[in-house]
Amino acid sequence: MIAETVCAAVSVAGLGIAAITAYRKRFLRATRIAAYSLVPLGLVMTGVVEWVADSAFSPTAWAGFGVLGAAWFLFMTTRVVERRRAAPGKERKEAKASRTGAIAPAASAPSLGQGSRPAARPAAAPRAGRSGTSGADDFSDIEAILKKHGI
């Protein structure tokens, strides 16, 4: 009886807040608040609140929840064991390797004939500093990259 009264009061308060929100011209928010505030009243009218109150204080209901939990645990245990037995050792590894393999392993290689080979790197000479380098040395890396890509 008390739970039903509290749910009805919460619904009335929610509808009041929805009316104030609608007065402020926020109709979408007001509609959402009204929907949420009608849920407790609907639960009281369908008898769910009474059922929950009776179940919360019933040892038989708690024993039933325990039995349901045990059944769920047994189902999950059998699924884990079944998955482990489905593909033993070597077959499971082969199946995993076939799933993770690339569809087209050579797809990432460039299709250019000359550019697919790595470019020969010139012997690196020790640089004396900024003032001792020539302009041609600065662009040698860029030329190697361009040759590698066939440009």
Side-chain angles (χ1 to χ4, degrees):
M1 179 88 170
I2 294 176
E4 288 86 358
T5 306
V6 169
C7 288
V10 167
S11 292
V12 170
L15 289 174
I17 292 170
I20 292 170
T21 306
Y23 179 75
R24 293 180 181 170
K25 306 238 188 265
R26 296 187 177 176
F27 298 111
L28 185 63
R29 186 175 289 177
T31 305
R32 191 175 295 129
I33 292 171
Y36 280 125
S37 65
L38 290 175
V39 169
L41 188 62
L43 291 174
V44 167
M45 294 174 77
T46 58
V48 172
V49 174
E50 184 180 344
W51 176 80
V52 169
D54 290 341
S55 298
F57 300 111
S58 171
T60 307
W62 284 105
F65 286 123
V67 169
L68 288 174
W72 176 82
F73 177 75
L74 291 173
F75 278 126
M76 292 301 119
T77 304
T78 56
R79 286 188 66 174
V80 169
V81 171
E82 187 177 70
R83 285 184 182 172
R84 289 185 184 238
R85 288 187 181 177
K90 192 174 185 179
E91 294 174 5
R92 186 174 10 161
K93 289 179 184 175
E94 289 174 2
K96 186 177 180 182
S98 68
R99 281 189 306 226
T100 59
I103 295 173
S108 63
S111 61
L112 300 173
Q114 186 87 359
S116 64
R117 284 185 243 125
R121 296 197 63 147
R127 296 190 180 189
R130 246 207 194 314
S131 61
T133 60
S134 66
D137 289 341
D138 292 339
F139 295 108
S140 63
D141 294 337
I142 296 171
E143 288 176 6
I145 293 171
L146 291 174
K147 284 181 183 178
K148 179 180 177 184
H149 291 288
I151 298 174

